[in-house]
Amino acid sequence: MAENKKPKKREYAAFSLKDNLKEIGTTFATGDWKTKLSFLIMGFGPLMRGQIVKGLLFLFCEIAFIAYMIGFGAKYMVKLPTLGTVETQKIGRKTVYGDNSFLILLFGILTVIVVAAFILVWRMNVRENLIEETALKKGKALPSNKKFLASLLDENFDKTLLALPCLGIFVFTVLPIIFMICVAFTNYDKNHQSPTNLFTWVGLQNFRELFSFGSSGFGGTFVTVLIWTLIWAFLATFIDYFLGLAVAMLINKKGIKLKKLWRTILVLTIAVPQFVSLLYIMKMFGNDGIVNGYLMKWGWISSPIPFWTNPTLAKVMIIVINIWVGIPYMMLIATGLLMNIPEDLYESARIDGANPFQMFVKITLPYMLFVTGPFLLTQFTGNLNNFNVIYLLTQGRPQSMKLVGNAGYTDLLVTWLYKMTVTETNYRMAAVIGIMVFIVTAVISLIVYNMLPSVRDEEGFQ
Amino acid sequence: MKKGLISLVMAGVLTAGLLAGCAGGAAPAAAPADAAPAAEAAAPAEGGSGSGEIKIWVADNVVDFTTKRAAQFMEEYPQYAGYKVTVEPVGEGDAAGNMITDVEAGADIYAFAQDQIARLVSAGALEEMNPDLLDAVTTENDPGSVAAATVGGKVYAYPLTSDNGYFLYYDKSVVTDPSDLDKILADCEAAGKNFYMEINSGWYQTAFFFGTGCTLTYDTDDAGNFTACNVDYASDKGVIAMKEMIKVKASPAFQNGSAAGEATNLAAIVDGTWDAGTVKELFGDNYACAKLPSFVGDDGNTYQLSGFGGFKLLGVKPQTDENKLEACDHLAGYLAGEASQQLRYEEVGWGPSNLKAQKSDAVQADEALSALADQLQYDIPQGQYPGEYWSLATGLGDDIIQGNLNPDSSDDDIMKALQTFQDTCISYAK
Amino acid sequence: MKEKKTASMSRKRAISNFFAYILLVIISIIWLFPFFGLIMQSFRSYLSEYGGMVNYIIPKNFSLDNYRFLFSGETNFVRWYTNTVVIALAVAVLQTLIVLCVSYALSRMRFRGRTFLMRFWLVLGMFPGFLTMICMYFLLKQFGLTQAGAVPGLILVYIASCGMGYYVCKGYFDTIPKALDEAARIDGATRAQIFVQMIIPLSKPIVIYTALVAFLAPWCDYIFASYVAFGNDKSYNVAVAMTRWVWTNDYQGYFTRFCAGGIMVAVPVTILFMCLQKYYVEGVTGGAVKG
């Protein structure tokens, strides 16, 4: 791939902590007074050397950081080790809330990250001084402010484009995930609910609870739910894949007319919001729904079929209804791809006397599997966390005494996690389960990823 | 790679800036402890005046009624007119869940079913009753409802209704004898119609267990924590109850459910007064109500079905402003008072817990409420149960519905299931 | 000889096509049946017939009662609908912009930390979204974007992390020859100019695909939207408000009303989808191959 990626200049690149410290030291020792003052007042050097924009940016960072720490961050960070000690009190009939462990944890984490980021910015500030001084010593002119700003639309355009998305992802994805990982090590549950009650660090206790296999321990339930999650993801992915492929080939068949109509009928499933269609289907198969209603009216059955209350039947129903949901996607994808298979492959196979089935196994399937390998992986991980189908159809029910923590036989880890959060407000166990979901997804992805030759070389695709 | 962190770092710094910027606005809200002195300073010494917003959560069908009554309250008590009342439709189940998730953002006054009270107290979502109102509330309402509003010796909520119990609705043209469960099932089978009872609910299930004389109660401490469990399900009495449930389930007429609005082909249903209107519409002239039936147990004795007598309560959440708390207390007291209960019965049919309202002619003449009153004699006032109990009971019921426990199960199997149930119940009290 | 063979082949094909048609008709019936039922139930009157479950599909009397109910002001249905439309439109526009920016940067530019960023986002994507729900709720609450402010709050949450969903769009950009960029750069165009004036116009299908997918998602959020609205009826979207009609016992006999509301939601969304189906197919197929 042609890419104007010259070998990176390594002269300022220092990777180890030791090198970093050494460079900071020498910058200070050899630098002029402007550089030396920059160690305290960030951006001072660049400002004095005419690099107004960069200088102001550094200065702004420092001021913002100090304001943040004094006005907000510091008081949360100091309480991070205990997550608060001041209890809620009653003064007369008035309630005076004490420390809010939740906010202490959340903003404590944020502050730690902000401090780390500030140190990095400070480091950049030091290096900027070094770069400028070296350039000036060599007699080179520093780039003008205008040029620096213009570069944000040209060679530094990536920074402009990515700044906002990265900020959003940091605040609404990274920070919450770090927070919830920390919650897994606390006792934050319904008995330790902010702001009335405090919660605190408990180490690995929640993980021990997840793997305890007593009568009320989470172990047995976790294993049951995990196994069903894996079975579900496997069946949902592959049944839909092959049936979708079959339907696509059926519609693509030579001589079939109204291709567009058939496709449009199927695609309706994608267009109609799932909460409408799936809730209707759930009601349709209920004990009092029309399916049982008609079957009984026609005298085929005497009592309703327990579609949702029998665990095995409920699982089968979910998989079957997921076919209804999943086939159209696969059909759309397969339709496009099937047309890409060179026709002469089939032609020569036909001359060799291959029957349609042989052609499917020898040509179509290998091609499709090769091309859609990554898609299958994303489908699989998507199905591991397929909340809508399960929750709209059964909400994880039916339950049993054999399962703890409000789990049901059709619960996936992710729906269980949801119930744990919303119905039980057992955040600590929800966090532990969330981490488990991550581990399962990551392990499976890693294994499959390494088995797929086509994904590894990203540039090879282009 | 390390060098490449720059973009992330920049993002981080921007965040810092942003949050520092917003910190000014967020900090007071984030730290109510700091804000408290300010509120104190602003508080006038006497009179219960003040201003602000009072948010009320009630079920959708009483939103209009509650709004109207709140407006009347403001007219009658102009000293609280500084408060603006908003009423939102949040069902009793959602209200409790939301209050526990975030007390601060929750409603100031909210209705809930009394089984939630222990959870709400331990999450700090309920304020103790105003001592000025305590006497009136405890004497004017029926004792069961006051007991239901009490946790650890303290009254936490205002009884709203005394109708959270269940009894039998039936179709006169189908069911000939509503006092015998076996006959009801036989009549339904013969007519090809359905008998509904939600046996996988911890609430309806107790009809059988309490009916044969089993007990299941929890002791709570002042903070709403469960300290002990008194249970004897794993006994001969429990086995008789279980066997009857299995027998009922085996009937082709049986349907698991308690929502009349979702029932098909209905001939009889164990349900509460809130469905009276729906059932009346369904049955028309054949509409009838009765106390729950009795059944002949495996041992040949006859048992009358029992159950929970339950109550809806109105709670006030803890406030950081004493004036507002006072206003909330009085408003809640008003909304749960005799006049409101009487009117609420007339408008939406909720059975009052207020003794005087219960004695009114209209209430006395109500078929559903009098059936409930008959049944309540056999019922156990519903105490406090941990949240896990309800899902455990659903599990037990589901085991019957799924056929894990069926007419072929031996007494030992049933006993084993009950033993697990009992042990798990006990494990919830720590 | 040869003619005979083609004749037998075409007969064979005719027979197999006959079965194919039968199969297709059966499939179509299965796929359409729920929608047929939904439409029929929505015309069953709450007042003159029954609003709950019945054991027949075709209502005895067709009536528009349920639709009248939705728009009668007895509920905030119109408000919920408006909320959802506002959210969906805002998300469609903003998410498309962000995804385009991220995709361009990742596809066209080579900068330090690029691979790291992509891997990091991939790993982040493996955490289940519901895990962070409670934390997001309290974050939004700090900004005052819950309850009454739920609509802007939801828009913010939906678009905040959408940069991570760049795969399909980047895959499309990757197929645009880089020689075009190089030529433009030699002519003195900046990166920003190339992006706005060249790449975006070339990417119409993917822009429409991204916007369409972004537009559809908010219609089905009944989980997080319910958290953020936190009991504030006026801030609900249609999904939150209407799932209550099915799940909560307070709303018995609302089933036909749910069906009517469902039709009100499904029809416009479906029409839009059908009009843009071509682009959707292109996006989905491209995305599948790129992974």
Side-chain angles (χ1 to χ4, degrees):
Chain A
M1 193 69 241
E3 210 189 311
N4 40 4
K5 198 189 214 171
K6 288 175 210 123
K8 284 263 146 61
K9 282 183 205 161
R10 293 280 169 196
E11 52 184 306
Y12 301 114
F15 285 99
S16 72
L17 184 65
K18 201 178 137 199
D19 289 345
N20 264 310
L21 288 174
K22 205 169 142 193
E23 194 191 286
I24 293 168
T26 44
T27 310
F28 189 78
T30 60
D32 56 14
W33 66 277
K34 294 173 201 159
T35 301
K36 283 190 173 113
L37 204 54
S38 284
F39 275 62
L40 202 63
I41 304 169
M42 278 168 49
F44 184 77
L47 274 174
M48 296 303 283
R49 297 187 192 98
Q51 299 288 86
I52 309 283
V53 178
K54 276 187 195 170
L56 281 178
L57 268 179
F58 281 123
L59 194 62
F60 170 76
C61 282
E62 185 166 7
I63 293 168
F65 174 74
I66 292 168
Y68 168 83
M69 285 306 279
I70 293 172
F72 188 71
K75 65 172 182 278
Y76 288 107
M77 203 165 75
V78 268
K79 287 180 185 161
L80 199 52
T82 57
L83 296 179
T85 48
V86 184
E87 306 247 4
T88 298
Q89 300 170 0
K90 291 261 167 186
I91 297 178
R93 297 202 64 225
K94 185 175 73 183
T95 305
V96 177
Y97 287 117
D99 284 333
N100 186 324
S101 300
F102 187 99
L103 295 179
I104 291 172
L105 182 57
L106 181 59
F107 294 131
I109 293 167
L110 177 69
T111 309
V112 170
I113 297 172
V114 167
V115 169
F118 178 73
I119 293 172
L120 274 168
V121 175
W122 181 82
R123 177 76 191 86
M124 280 161 61
N125 155 63
V126 171
R127 177 162 295 162
E128 179 63 27
N129 276 295
L130 178 63
I131 292 170
E132 283 171 10
E133 251 191 277
T134 322
L136 287 173
K137 264 180 209 154
K138 283 185 185 156
K140 282 187 208 155
L142 295 174
S144 71
N145 290 314
K146 218 173 150 189
K147 210 171 157 199
F148 170 70
L149 285 176
S151 81
L152 286 176
L153 290 178
D154 201 4
E155 63 265 27
N156 282 330
F157 193 39
D158 54 308
K159 295 189 181 67
T160 319
L161 289 176
L162 290 174
L164 216 54
C166 283
L167 175 67
I169 290 169
F170 172 77
V171 177
F172 286 102
T173 303
V174 178
L175 182 63
I177 285 177
I178 298 175
F179 173 84
M180 284 316 283
I181 291 174
C182 291
V183 165
F185 300 93
T186 68
N187 58 358
Y188 181 28
D189 58 17
K190 65 178 194 299
N191 294 326
H192 303 87
Q193 182 89 46
S194 300
T196 313
N197 300 313
L198 301 168
F199 62 85
T200 188
W201 302 105
V202 294
L204 288 171
Q205 194 189 304
N206 299 323
F207 289 87
R208 249 175 256 135
E209 197 173 326
L210 184 70
F211 292 108
S212 72
F213 287 84
S215 66
S216 65
F218 275 76
T221 308
F222 174 67
V223 171
T224 316
V225 175
L226 177 65
I227 290 173
W228 160 239
T229 306
L230 291 173
I231 293 175
W232 147 261
F234 184 82
L235 291 178
T237 308
F238 285 96
I239 293 180
D240 286 8
Y241 183 81
F242 288 111
L243 287 181
L245 194 57
V247 172
M249 288 170 71
L250 186 67
I251 296 177
N252 273 15
K253 201 167 180 303
K254 263 194 205 130
I256 295 286
K257 285 182 188 128
L258 301 169
K259 287 188 198 304
K260 214 162 177 194
L261 173 75
W262 305 122
R263 273 180 212 137
T264 307
I265 288 172
L266 287 174
V267 164
L268 264 179
T269 326
I270 308 177
V272 176
Q274 282 187 345
F275 87 91
V276 176
S277 52
L278 289 183
L279 277 182
Y280 182 78
I281 293 179
M282 182 269 280
K283 282 285 181 189
M284 214 166 93
F285 286 98
N287 278 1
D288 45 13
I290 47 168
V291 173
N292 273 321
Y294 272 104
L295 289 179
M296 292 207 294
K297 227 193 255 178
W298 295 334
W300 291 12
I301 51 170
S302 59
S303 67
I305 303 172
F307 287 113
W308 302 126
T309 44
N310 177 304
T312 321
L313 204 51
K315 286 177 182 178
V316 173
M317 284 306 292
I318 287 175
I319 290 172
V320 169
I321 289 166
N322 189 56
I323 293 175
W324 187 85
V325 176
I327 278 188
Y329 283 101
M330 191 54 215
M331 190 254 334
L332 285 183
I333 289 160
T335 306
L337 295 178
L338 285 173
M339 289 181 197
N340 291 348
I341 304 178
E343 188 57 32
D344 44 337
L345 275 178
Y346 289 110
E347 210 50 58
S348 55
R350 213 168 283 136
I351 289 163
D352 291 345
N355 63 30
F357 180 73
Q358 282 171 325
M359 285 195 279
F360 174 76
V361 173
K362 288 270 154 59
I363 302 170
T364 318
L365 198 57
Y367 174 83
M368 289 298 291
L369 281 177
F370 176 77
V371 180
T372 57
F375 166 75
L376 270 175
L377 175 60
T378 42
Q379 279 296 96
F380 187 83
T381 50
N383 276 325
L384 281 177
N385 296 314
N386 195 334
F387 183 86
N388 269 345
V389 171
I390 304 285
Y391 198 77
L392 290 172
L393 290 178
T394 66
Q395 301 194 304
R397 286 190 285 251
Q399 287 171 242
S400 167
M401 277 210 311
K402 288 172 195 135
L403 301 176
V404 298
N406 218 355
Y409 279 114
T410 57
D411 258 325
L412 301 183
L413 285 174
V414 63
T415 55
W416 192 28
L417 185 160
Y418 170 78
K419 287 195 211 166
M420 208 73 109
T421 315
V422 172
T423 344
E424 309 264 290
T425 57
N426 191 348
Y427 302 108
R428 60 191 175 91
M429 289 313 285
V432 173
I433 293 168
I435 292 173
M436 291 299 145
V437 173
F438 168 74
I439 292 174
V440 169
T441 318
V443 165
I444 290 174
S445 303
L446 211 66
I447 294 170
V448 181
Y449 198 72
N450 284 324
M451 278 167 22
L452 292 172
S454 50
V455 232
R456 253 175 288 164
D457 186 12
E458 184 218 349
E459 305 280 333
F461 262 152
Q462 300 180 6
Chain B
M1 190 166 284
K2 206 170 181 182
K3 281 169 80 186
L5 281 169
I6 289 170
S7 61
L8 271 178
V9 171
M10 282 184 78
V13 171
L14 278 166
T15 318
L18 196 80
L19 285 169
C22 79
D34 300 350
E40 207 165 28
E46 278 277 339
S49 59
S51 63
E53 195 195 351
I54 295 178
K55 194 159 47 173
I56 303 179
W57 283 350
V58 289
D60 206 345
N61 56 344
V62 287
V63 167
D64 292 342
F65 172 79
T66 310
T67 315
K68 201 173 71 192
R69 288 298 286 169
Q72 281 166 359
F73 170 79
M74 290 303 171
E75 270 171 34
E76 286 177 40
Y77 299 90
Q79 66 265 44
Y80 301 119
Y83 290 97
K84 188 176 163 288
V85 177
T86 51
V87 184
E88 294 279 350
V90 179
E92 282 121 27
D94 290 344
N98 280 356
M99 289 306 298
I100 289 168
T101 304
D102 185 2
V103 175
E104 285 172 301
D108 299 300
I109 300 173
Y110 57 99
F112 59 96
Q114 120 256 19
D115 55 288
Q116 300 289 329
I117 194 171
R119 261 176 102 197
L120 289 164
V121 170
S122 62
L126 277 178
E127 180 60 59
E128 274 178 52
M129 183 169 295
N130 192 327
D132 301 344
L133 300 171
L134 188 61
D135 268 354
V137 170
T138 45
T139 51
E140 282 173 15
N141 288 290
D142 71 41
S145 66
V146 176
T150 309
V151 175
K154 288 177 191 156
V155 181
Y156 280 92
Y158 302 79
L160 202 57
T161 73
S162 190
D163 63 355
N164 237 16
Y166 41 86
F167 50 93
L168 184 77
Y169 289 104
Y170 64 99
D171 182 335
K172 269 191 280 198
S173 67
V174 177
V175 177
T176 49
D177 180 3
S179 67
D180 185 332
L181 183 56
D182 296 330
K183 281 195 188 138
I184 295 172
L185 285 169
D187 285 342
C188 291
E189 279 169 41
K193 294 226 166 187
N194 289 332
F195 167 76
Y196 274 77
M197 180 163 185
E198 193 175 353
I199 61 165
N200 72 342
S201 149
W203 203 56
Y204 291 97
Q205 221 174 59
T206 52
F208 291 96
F209 288 110
F210 294 173
T212 58
C214 293
T215 49
L216 173 59
T217 56
Y218 281 89
D219 299 341
T220 51
D221 65 11
D222 291 355
N225 298 314
F226 294 97
T227 49
C229 177
N230 319 302
V231 56
D232 62 352
Y233 273 30
S235 62
D236 294 343
K237 294 176 281 184
V239 174
I240 293 167
M242 276 295 269
K243 281 195 160 167
E244 185 62 21
M245 285 164 77
I246 293 169
K247 199 170 111 195
V248 170
K249 194 264 154 185
S251 161
F254 168 79
Q255 290 290 337
N256 185 58
S258 64
E262 282 158 23
T264 48
N265 215 6
L266 186 68
I269 183 168
V270 175
D271 199 349
T273 48
W274 51 92
D275 270 345
T278 317
V279 182
K280 216 176 255 176
E281 239 171 77
L282 275 175
F283 289 163
D285 291 340
N286 293 320
Y287 170 79
C289 313
K291 70 173 174 57
L292 292 179
S294 54
F295 66 91
V296 179
D298 200 38
D299 56 351
N301 293 333
T302 305
Y303 297 98
Q304 165 67 39
L305 286 181
S306 169
F308 278 137
F311 311 90
K312 276 185 193 140
L313 306 170
L314 198 60
V316 174
K317 83 165 176 190
Q319 301 286 345
T320 50
D321 173 355
E322 222 158 340
N323 289 325
K324 189 176 170 188
L325 181 59
E326 170 132 359
C328 290
D329 282 339
H330 283 97
L331 178 54
Y334 183 83
L335 291 174
E338 184 197 338
S340 291
Q341 290 202 14
Q342 180 74 42
L343 286 168
R344 195 179 287 106
Y345 167 73
E346 281 159 21
E347 293 208 2
V348 287
W350 288 14
S353 62
N354 185 288
L355 293 167
K356 280 187 207 145
Q358 280 178 354
K359 297 245 159 56
S360 73
D361 296 341
V363 176
Q364 293 279 324
D366 188 295
E367 280 179 86
L369 283 178
S370 46
L372 178 61
D374 285 348
Q375 177 61 31
L376 281 174
Q377 298 170 18
Y378 304 99
D379 281 0
I380 314 280
Q382 187 181 340
Q384 300 314 313
Y385 292 86
E388 293 96 333
Y389 161 73
W390 305 103
S391 58
L392 181 74
T394 302
L396 184 70
D398 278 351
D399 282 338
I400 295 177
I401 293 170
Q402 290 155 24
N404 292 350
L405 296 168
N406 53 50
D408 299 332
S409 299
S410 66
D411 285 11
D412 283 351
D413 289 344
I414 294 171
M415 187 59 109
K416 224 165 89 189
L418 286 170
Q419 191 65 49
T420 318
F421 183 86
Q422 179 166 326
D423 293 346
T424 320
C425 280
I426 292 167
S427 75
Y428 295 148
K430 281 166 217 154
Chain C
M1 235 349 228
K2 208 177 177 188
E3 267 168 23
K4 217 175 178 183
K5 199 181 169 191
T6 34
S8 83
M9 263 181 76
S10 69
R11 192 181 309 128
K12 226 169 118 191
R13 171 160 292 164
I15 293 168
S16 79
N17 275 358
F18 173 72
F19 283 110
Y21 277 122
I22 290 183
L23 208 56
L24 281 173
V25 170
I26 294 173
I27 290 175
S28 302
I29 291 173
I30 295 174
W31 253 258
L32 288 179
F33 183 76
F35 300 119
F36 173 73
L38 190 69
I39 292 170
M40 287 299 130
Q41 306 281 303
S42 78
F43 290 116
R44 179 150 50 88
S45 168
Y46 177 82
L47 301 169
S48 65
E49 219 169 326
Y50 182 47
M53 302 298 293
V54 289
N55 56 0
Y56 53 88
I57 299 180
I58 314 276
K60 289 177 180 143
N61 305 300
F62 281 82
S63 106
L64 289 172
D65 279 0
N66 298 314
Y67 294 93
R68 240 174 262 135
F69 169 80
L70 294 177
F71 293 98
S72 67
E74 269 182 72
T75 64
N76 285 321
F77 184 78
V78 179
R79 178 68 185 260
W80 301 330
Y81 207 92
T82 322
N83 285 346
T84 320
V85 173
V86 168
I87 294 173
L89 283 176
V91 171
V93 172
L94 296 171
Q95 181 163 334
T96 311
L97 279 177
I98 292 178
V99 168
L100 284 174
C101 288
V102 171
S103 305
Y104 178 81
L106 291 176
S107 168
R108 281 311 201 258
M109 316 228 0
R110 292 293 178 270
F111 50 89
R112 290 166 300 183
R114 175 176 168 275
T115 341
F116 169 79
L117 200 64
M118 282 162 61
R119 288 219 185 111
F120 182 60
W121 287 358
L122 188 73
V123 172
L124 283 185
M126 291 175 188
F127 283 95
F130 294 117
L131 180 64
T132 56
M133 204 161 53
I134 178 80
C135 185
M136 301 250 255
Y137 165 75
F138 279 102
L139 266 175
L140 281 181
K141 197 181 149 198
Q142 296 301 314
F143 295 112
L145 294 177
T146 55
Q147 300 199 325
V151 172
L154 277 175
I155 295 173
L156 180 62
V157 169
Y158 290 148
I159 62 162
S161 298
C162 69
M164 283 159 65
Y166 63 84
Y167 300 96
V168 175
C169 190
K170 174 183 172 289
Y172 188 88
F173 285 173
D174 286 345
T175 60
I176 301 173
K178 284 205 172 145
L180 286 175
D181 294 43
E182 315 266 321
R185 280 183 72 76
I186 290 166
D187 291 345
T190 64
R191 291 278 191 190
Q193 283 164 338
I194 294 174
F195 177 48
V196 176
Q197 290 165 8
M198 209 176 76
I199 302 287
I200 291 183
L202 276 175
S203 316
K204 190 179 150 207
I206 215 67
V207 171
I208 295 177
Y209 166 78
T210 314
L212 179 63
V213 172
F215 183 84
L216 292 181
W219 289 91
C220 200
D221 181 9
Y222 51 92
I223 296 295
F224 194 63
S226 134
Y227 235 92
V228 176
F230 207 78
N232 195 316
D233 201 64
K234 288 198 176 71
S235 301
Y236 287 150
N237 67 10
V238 277
V240 174
M242 281 171 44
T243 47
R244 284 188 312 170
W245 292 355
V246 177
W247 280 331
T248 315
N249 271 344
D250 293 354
Y251 300 95
Q252 285 190 26
Y254 270 61
F255 182 64
T256 53
R257 292 169 175 177
F258 168 80
C259 293
I263 297 289
M264 291 307 302
V265 171
V267 167
V269 173
T270 309
I271 291 174
L272 180 77
F273 188 88
M274 290 303 164
C275 293
L276 302 174
Q277 194 187 343
K278 192 179 99 197
Y279 303 103
Y280 184 81
V281 173
E282 205 166 321
V284 167
T285 319
V289 181
K290 294 287 180 222

